[in-house]
């Protein structure tokens, strides 16, 4: 069963005013459990609006959203419970920290779920470990931490709720390359360990290519495609037309192919590219794997 | 949603009223208020009403906006009217029931007061409809600049007003974002007792205040980087200039004030 399903989902901002704008237009989507979905799209393509529907922060102008088979907005009293199934980490989540200590801030979500102190404590430690926070900082104020650390605390705050679906809106933006890789690697580990569904909104094709199992491309409020990375990056030209790109390494290989070198055109990670080149040069005889 | 709140009620346009120098507009409003208060007859008030309704027509602001501006003061109007009707006991009695006495003078005074307040509100909302907040603060700064002599920091106050106005939409957006983020973490803002709800606001206010301070610091730094050092010797992109139409407007207003005085006299003679 699909964990997220939408039927004809449409959302219009400022309906009935001269400024009205359709941000999400008639989206039908089914996301299977356990996928790691990358969401890409130009600024203003409706990504952020779309993901805010998945945990009921926005009410569709028309259409339906099903989470785990249950229709959102059908029974308003169930909304909060369903919201716990879908954890949403906003862009720059460190600006939502408010508690006196890191520990209490991470505890905010689980406490709202009504968990016992014991369970809460277990989840906090687990989430902190996932994002690579040391327990020494638990009693510190979140405001004295560095930017990257704050970001981790905020992400841990959502992870501690152990949602079935974890959605992250550009979790790595504004971080240095090292912090960026670290956070993305931790999210990937979380996905592999928990076998939960993860959605990652990002502008970096490299990050998307490296981590995801499926890619959702949004263009002008509509879903352009929802497919595996190989199939999506195969449509390089179309992506470029809508102002998106493909990973650099894919561009390199496309150019090589255009220049007449007999290479595969399904290359989108550097690791795979390296293995492929080595095997072509005859320096490495093992079977090339993605 | 928070986004639906509109701050200020500026209605962009190119009418004569819009193009008047904002300083002149503020002076005209003051003159208009004087006009209303020296009028002590319905004739005088009538002249004032003609003045403000004429200005409204020229401005091209939709008529229903005028009614909209009156809506919030309805309770005040009713209250003033009732007080005057019920508590003025001199004059010819027109209705009596137990302890309630309504006199002719009471009714006319009530009507007079209500019309005066309505005219006041229409006039001042016309000012905010046709003048952008930035223009207004600019004009206030210039008009109060003589106070610099007695060390009133006029420029600084005006700059504070401008910055405050500039940041209202930003803060609303920020509040919206933080609310969404906390709701996503299961914050319950809609149910519970008053105390519970007040407590539920902590996760919203703390980040909001923190980010306001951060913004203030960044803004101060950015201003300093651009060598801002207060009002001394500062020039403006948009100079306020009075032109023929401003003097004409002043003249028309003066004529109307005279008209009010004259109308009162007529009333007296009749």
């Amino acid at each position: 069963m699909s964990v997220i399903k939408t039927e004809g989902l449409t959302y219009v901002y400022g309906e009935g005013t001269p400024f009205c704008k359709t941000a999400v237009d008639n989206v039908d989507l089914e996301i299977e459990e356990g996928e790691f979905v990358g969401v890409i799209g130009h600024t203003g393509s409706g990504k952020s609006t779309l993901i805010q529907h998945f945990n009921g922060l926005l009410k569709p102008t028309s259409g339906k959203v099903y989470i785990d088979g249950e229709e959102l907005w059908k029974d308003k009293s169930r909304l909060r419970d369903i919201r716990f199934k879908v954890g949403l980490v906003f862009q720059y989540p460190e600006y939502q920290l408010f508690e006196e200590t890191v520990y209490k801030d991470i505890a905010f979500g689980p406490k709202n779920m009504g968990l016992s102190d014991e369970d809460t404590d277990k989840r906090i430690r687990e989430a902190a470990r996932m994002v690579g926070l040391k327990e020494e900082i638990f009693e510190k104020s979140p405001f004295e931490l560095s930017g990257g650390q704050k970001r981790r605390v905020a992400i841990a705050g959502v992870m501690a709720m152990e949602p079935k679906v974890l959605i992250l809106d550009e979790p790595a933006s504004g971080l240095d390359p090292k912090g960026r890789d670290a956070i993305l690697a931790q999210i990937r580990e979380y996905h592999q360990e928990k076998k939960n569904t993860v959605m990652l909104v990002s502008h970096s094709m490299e990050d998307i290519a490296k981590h995801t199992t499926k890619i959702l491309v949004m263009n002008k409020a509509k879903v352009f495609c929802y497919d595996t990375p190989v199939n999506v990056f195969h449509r390089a030209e179309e992506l470029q037309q809508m102002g998106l790109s493909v990973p650099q390494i894919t561009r390199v290989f496309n150019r090589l192919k255009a220049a007449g070198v007999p290479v595969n055109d399904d290359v989108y990670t550097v690791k795979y590219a390296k293995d492929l080149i080595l095997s072509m040069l005859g320096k490495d005889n093992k079977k090339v794997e993605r | 949603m928070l986004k639906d709140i509109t701050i200020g009620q500026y209605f962009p346009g190119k009418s004569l009223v819009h193009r008047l120098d904002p300083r002149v507009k503020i002076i005209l409003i003051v003159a208009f208020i004087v006009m209303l208060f020296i009028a002590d007859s319905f004739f005088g008030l009538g002249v004032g009403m003609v003045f403000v309704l004429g200005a409204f027509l020229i401005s091209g602001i939709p008529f229903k906006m005028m009614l909209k501006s009156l809506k919030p003061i309805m309770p005040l109007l009713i209250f003033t009217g009732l007080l005057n009707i019920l508590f003025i006991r001199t004059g010819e009695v027109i209705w009596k029931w137990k302890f309630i006495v309504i006199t002719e003078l009471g009714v006319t005074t009530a009507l007079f007061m209500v019309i005066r307040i309505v005219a006041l509100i229409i006039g001042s909302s016309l000012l905010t409809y046709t003048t952008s907040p930035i223009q207004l603060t600019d004009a206030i700064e210039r008009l109060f600049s003589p106070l610099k002599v007695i060390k009133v920091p006029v420029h600084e106050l005006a700059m504070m007003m401008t910055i405050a106005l500039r940041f209202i939409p930003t803060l609303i957006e920020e509040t919206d974002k933080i609310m969404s983020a906390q709701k996503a973490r299961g914050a319950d803002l809609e149910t519970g007792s008053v105390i519970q709800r007040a407590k539920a606001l902590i996760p919203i206010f703390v980040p909001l205040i923190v980010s306001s301070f951060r913004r203030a610091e960044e803004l101060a730094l950015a201003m300093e980087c651009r060598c801002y050092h207060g009002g001394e010797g500062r020039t403006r992109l948009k100079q306020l200039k009075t032109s023929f139409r401003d003097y004409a407007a002043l003249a028309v207003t003066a004529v109307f004030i005279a008209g009010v005085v004259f109308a009162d006299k007529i009333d007296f003679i009749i």
Side-chain angles (χ1 to χ4, degrees):
Chain A
M1 190 178 61
S2 49
V3 67
I4 295 176
K5 189 175 159 198
T6 67
E7 277 172 6
L9 176 64
T10 302
Y11 187 79
V12 183
Y13 274 110
E15 210 182 13
T17 69
F19 311 106
C20 94
K21 183 179 175 272
T22 308
V24 175
D25 192 4
N26 205 8
V27 167
D28 296 310
L29 194 64
E30 260 186 73
I31 292 168
E32 297 299 319
E33 205 166 341
E35 299 279 11
F36 194 135
V37 183
V39 184
I40 56 177
H42 211 258
T43 315
S45 60
K47 298 168 297 199
S48 295
T49 312
L50 180 69
I51 58 171
Q52 285 187 54
H53 279 94
F54 294 157
N55 73 344
L57 282 174
L58 291 177
K59 189 178 178 178
T61 308
S62 66
K64 286 175 182 151
V65 182
Y66 299 90
I67 301 298
D68 223 5
E70 195 175 347
E71 190 185 332
L72 272 178
W73 296 105
K74 199 177 176 188
D75 178 4
K76 249 194 124 181
S77 59
R78 292 274 304 138
L79 194 62
R80 201 155 162 258
D81 292 325
I82 302 174
R83 203 168 267 167
F84 292 131
K85 288 189 182 175
V86 182
L88 184 52
V89 180
F90 280 85
Q91 224 173 339
Y92 297 104
E94 57 272 29
Y95 295 145
Q96 72 191 32
L97 302 175
F98 69 98
E99 274 287 9
E100 292 156 50
T101 67
V102 169
Y103 184 88
K104 278 192 195 164
D105 209 292
I106 302 178
F108 183 65
K111 277 261 165 70
N112 280 331
M113 294 172 79
L115 295 177
S116 68
D117 285 354
E118 204 182 315
D119 281 345
T120 307
D121 183 72
K122 223 169 78 192
R123 288 195 176 192
I124 292 167
R125 287 175 202 284
E126 171 85 2
R129 181 184 63 77
M130 286 275 185
V131 296
L133 284 174
K134 294 201 179 83
E135 298 202 355
E136 288 103 85
I137 66 156
F138 276 0
E139 292 311 312
K140 275 194 178 172
S141 157
F143 297 106
E144 19 174 310
L145 303 177
S146 70
Q149 298 254 309
K150 276 187 199 164
R151 177 90 41 108
R152 280 160 215 264
V153 174
I155 295 175
V158 176
M159 275 186 182
M161 295 162 68
E162 295 190 356
K164 275 193 103 148
V165 185
L166 180 68
I167 306 177
L168 304 110
D169 194 350
E170 302 224 28
S173 67
L175 294 183
D176 56 84
K178 219 173 144 193
R180 191 183 178 89
D181 285 344
I183 281 195
L184 289 171
Q186 278 149 1
I187 292 167
R188 187 185 178 146
E189 252 168 58
Y190 167 87
H191 174 246
Q192 281 165 349
E193 197 171 308
K194 298 272 176 191
K195 305 276 176 244
N196 281 351
T197 315
V198 176
M199 281 182 100
L200 176 75
V201 179
S202 177
H203 278 295
S204 159
M205 296 301 149
E206 279 71 29
D207 291 346
I208 295 269
K210 220 153 110 187
H211 302 290
T212 60
T213 59
K214 277 278 182 73
I215 297 179
L216 172 65
V217 187
M218 293 288 292
N219 186 34
K220 291 183 183 150
K222 287 184 192 295
V223 169
F224 170 73
C225 65
Y226 176 60
D227 215 328
T228 56
V230 185
N231 291 342
V232 169
F233 289 133
H234 213 86
R235 302 167 80 167
E237 258 175 52
E238 286 166 274
L239 288 175
Q240 262 149 13
Q241 265 166 16
M242 53 179 105
L244 297 171
S245 63
V246 291
Q248 280 179 350
I249 197 71
T250 311
R251 264 182 280 166
V252 170
F253 271 70
N254 286 349
R255 288 287 284 279
L256 279 175
K257 202 178 177 200
V261 184
V263 290
N264 304 15
D265 53 4
D266 59 351
V267 182
Y268 55 88
T269 60
V270 177
K271 190 177 163 293
Y272 178 51
K274 184 184 122 192
D275 292 349
L276 207 65
I277 292 171
L278 284 177
S279 88
M280 281 174 75
L281 294 174
K283 299 220 167 143
D284 193 347
N285 293 322
K286 21 174 221 215
K287 200 170 162 275
V288 178
E289 265 178 50
R290 244 177 232 295
Chain B
M1 275 296 254
L2 281 170
K3 269 191 192 124
D4 298 333
I5 302 171
T6 47
I7 303 293
Q9 27 189 2
Y10 179 51
F11 237 79
K14 282 195 164 19
S15 76
L16 184 66
V17 185
H18 281 90
R19 280 178 298 158
L20 283 182
D21 186 315
R23 287 172 297 178
V24 171
K25 273 193 265 189
I26 292 178
I27 293 169
L28 291 188
I29 281 295
V30 174
F32 175 61
I33 293 168
V34 170
M35 201 190 293
L36 288 178
F37 280 92
I38 57 172
D40 52 8
S41 70
F42 280 103
F43 281 105
L45 267 193
V47 173
M49 266 305 206
V50 168
F51 175 75
V52 74
L53 290 179
F56 222 102
L57 270 179
I58 296 169
S59 74
I61 304 285
F63 192 70
K64 65 168 194 248
M65 293 306 296
M66 189 170 87
L67 299 179
K68 211 177 138 193
S69 70
L70 288 173
K71 225 173 164 185
I73 59 147
M74 271 323 267
L76 183 74
L77 288 179
I78 293 167
F79 187 67
T80 321
L82 281 181
L83 270 189
N84 279 297
I85 289 176
L86 296 176
F87 288 95
I88 293 181
R89 285 165 179 261
T90 48
E92 203 176 311
V93 176
I94 48 174
W95 198 66
K96 202 172 166 180
W97 181 71
K98 286 184 185 167
F99 60 92
I100 300 175
V101 181
I102 294 177
T103 66
E104 203 195 328
L105 187 67
V107 174
T108 47
T109 316
L111 205 59
F112 190 80
M113 286 305 208
V114 167
I115 294 176
R116 187 181 267 171
I117 297 174
V118 166
L120 257 177
I121 298 301
I122 295 176
S124 43
S125 54
L126 183 63
L127 175 71
T128 49
Y129 282 146
T130 58
T131 323
S132 72
I134 297 296
Q135 270 187 322
L136 267 183
T137 43
D138 240 21
I140 290 171
E141 179 182 352
R142 297 297 291 270
L143 283 175
F144 284 96
S145 56
L147 293 180
K148 274 183 197 155
V149 180
I150 54 164
K151 304 260 184 225
V152 177
V154 178
H155 171 79
E156 283 71 16
L157 288 174
M159 183 54 96
M160 274 164 64
M161 260 171 86
T162 313
I163 292 173
L165 286 169
R166 157 69 185 75
F167 274 93
I168 288 168
T170 314
L171 285 181
I172 289 177
E173 199 181 305
E174 184 106 12
T175 315
D176 236 16
K177 254 193 217 157
I178 294 170
M179 272 170 78
S180 298
Q182 305 300 28
K183 268 198 217 158
R185 292 211 280 166
D188 186 7
L189 305 173
E190 275 118 28
T191 55
S193 68
V194 180
I195 296 171
Q196 274 173 325
R197 277 201 224 185
K199 267 195 181 155
L201 287 180
I202 295 175
I204 314 251
F205 277 127
V206 174
L208 192 63
I209 291 168
V210 170
S211 81
S212 305
F213 273 105
R214 186 173 44 83
R215 270 182 210 288
E217 227 175 274
E218 280 168 9
L219 180 70
L221 196 64
M223 284 167 86
E224 202 144 80
C225 286
R226 290 198 254 166
C227 301
Y228 177 78
H229 59 92
E232 202 64 38
R234 196 171 153 78
T235 55
R236 309 176 164 274
L237 175 63
K238 284 188 181 145
Q239 295 280 354
L240 294 177
K241 272 195 203 115
T242 48
S243 61
F244 173 72
R245 56 172 170 265
D246 297 302
Y247 299 116
L250 283 171
V252 169
T253 311
V255 169
F256 266 90
I257 292 181
V260 169
V261 176
F262 186 65
D264 283 345
K265 283 267 162 37
I266 293 177
D267 188 59
F268 190 68
I269 294 162
I270 294 171

